[in-house]
C-alpha cells in the first residue's frame, strides 16, 4: 500500500466517497470534490492505494493558516481493508503534513453516530474538546477532537 495525492483518475471512487458516504452526513460535497482534485483552496487529498492501484482509503486535510491547526476533514478506510493498520498509516501521513506545514495541533470532527471513528481517534490519543449539536445536520451531534503535534 502506498499513499499518494489524488488525481483525475480517482474521480469515480472520489464521487462514491463524496456523494455516497459524506453527503448524507455533511450535506453537499460538490465543492469538496472539486477542491480535492484541483488542489485549490487549502485542501490536501490523499488516496491509499494497493499495488494494483485499488483505492483502499482516503484522507483529506484542510490546512488553513488562519486556523492554527490542521484539520482532518475525512479519514476513511474501505470495508475489506480495515483493522490492518491502514487507518494508522493515514493518520501518520496527517501528522507528517502537520509537521511539514508547522501546525502544532490536529483537529477532527466526528459524528457521534460514527462510533468506529471515535474509538479510533481516542485510541490514537485524540482528546474530546467540544460537542456541537446541529453543526452539519440538525439532528446530529458532532464531536470535536484534537491532538498535539510534538
Ligand atoms: C476508523 C477507521 C479509519 C479505522 O481504520 P483501520 O484501518 O481499521 O484502523 P487501524 O487498523 O489502523 O487501527 C489502528 C489502531 O486503532 C485501533 N482501532 C481501529 N479501529 C478501532 C475501533 N473501532 N475501536 C477501537 N480501536 C480501534 C486498532 O486496534 C489499532 O490499535 P493499535 O495501534 O494499538 O494496534 C476505519 O474503521 C473507518 O474508516 N471507518 C469508517 C469511518 C467512516 O464511516 N467515516 C465516514 C465519515 S468520515
Amino acid at each position: 500500500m502506498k499513499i499518494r495525492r489524488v488525481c483525475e483518475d480517482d474521480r469515480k471512487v472520489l464521487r462514491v466517497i463524496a456523494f455516497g458516504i459524506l453527503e448524507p452526513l455533511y450535506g453537499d460535497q460538490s465543492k469538496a470534490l472539486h477542491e480535492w482534485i484541483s488542489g485549490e483552496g487549502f485542501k490536501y487529498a490523499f488516496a491509499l492505494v494497493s499495488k494494483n492501484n485499488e483505492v483502499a482509503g482516503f484522507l483529506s486535510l484542510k490546512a488553513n493558516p488562519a486556523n492554527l491547526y490542521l484539520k482532518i476533514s475525512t479519514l476513511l478506510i474501505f470495508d475489506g481493508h480495515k483493522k490492518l493498520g491502514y487507518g494508522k498509516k493515514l493518520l501518520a501521513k496527517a501528522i507528517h503534513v502537520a509537521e511539514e506545514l508547522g501546525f502544532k495541533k490536529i483537529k477532527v470532527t466526528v459524528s457521534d453516530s460514527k462510533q468506529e471513528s471515535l474509538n479510533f481517534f481516542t485510541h490514537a490519543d485524540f482528546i474530546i474538546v467540544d460537542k456541537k449539536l446541529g453543526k452539519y445536520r440538525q439532528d446530529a451531534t458532532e464531536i470535536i477532537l484534537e491532538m498535539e503535534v510534538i
Side-chain angles (χ1 to χ4, degrees):
M1 291 282 179
K2 66 171 186 184
I3 298 173
R4 58 155 174 77
R5 289 290 285 266
V6 300
C7 58
E8 185 60 46
D9 290 350
D10 299 318
R11 186 174 280 275
K12 198 171 161 194
V13 69
L14 293 176
R15 286 183 64 84
V16 172
I17 294 168
F19 303 126
I21 300 172
L22 301 179
E23 197 158 279
L25 292 167
Y26 306 117
D28 182 34
Q29 296 292 315
S30 330
K31 186 165 169 255
L33 178 65
H34 171 75
E35 289 181 2
W36 296 339
I37 296 173
S38 67
E40 285 171 14
F42 302 114
K43 295 267 169 75
Y44 289 69
F46 300 94
L48 175 80
V49 290
S50 67
K51 278 191 185 131
N52 59 4
N53 216 22
E54 183 197 356
V55 176
F58 174 70
L59 171 71
S60 83
L61 304 170
K62 191 169 183 183
N64 185 344
N67 292 331
L68 302 176
Y69 56 83
L70 180 73
K71 182 170 186 207
I72 295 178
S73 302
T74 313
L75 193 162
L76 183 70
I77 301 295
F78 282 114
D79 287 345
H81 301 281
K82 289 178 182 174
K83 303 273 180 195
L84 295 170
Y86 297 139
K88 210 166 155 177
K89 201 172 160 79
L90 285 181
L91 180 57
K93 177 71 183 178
I95 293 169
H96 182 71
V97 172
E99 284 168 349
E100 267 188 349
L101 299 176
F103 287 101
K104 300 269 181 283
K105 247 180 214 179
I106 300 182
K107 273 198 187 193
V108 63
T109 299
V110 179
S111 167
D112 70 347
S113 64
K114 292 282 168 196
Q115 197 60 47
E116 197 176 42
S117 294
L118 274 175
N119 291 348
F120 169 78
F121 284 113
T122 51
H123 184 79
D125 292 338
F126 275 73
I127 292 165
I128 296 176
V129 291
D130 204 359
K131 291 184 187 188
K132 287 201 171 121
L133 177 67
K135 185 169 159 54
Y136 299 109
R137 273 185 32 193
Q138 271 190 341
D139 56 343
T141 298
E142 299 296 329
I143 300 183
I144 296 136
L145 302 103
E146 60 181 46
M147 86 177 296
E148 304 280 336
V149 177
I150 302 153

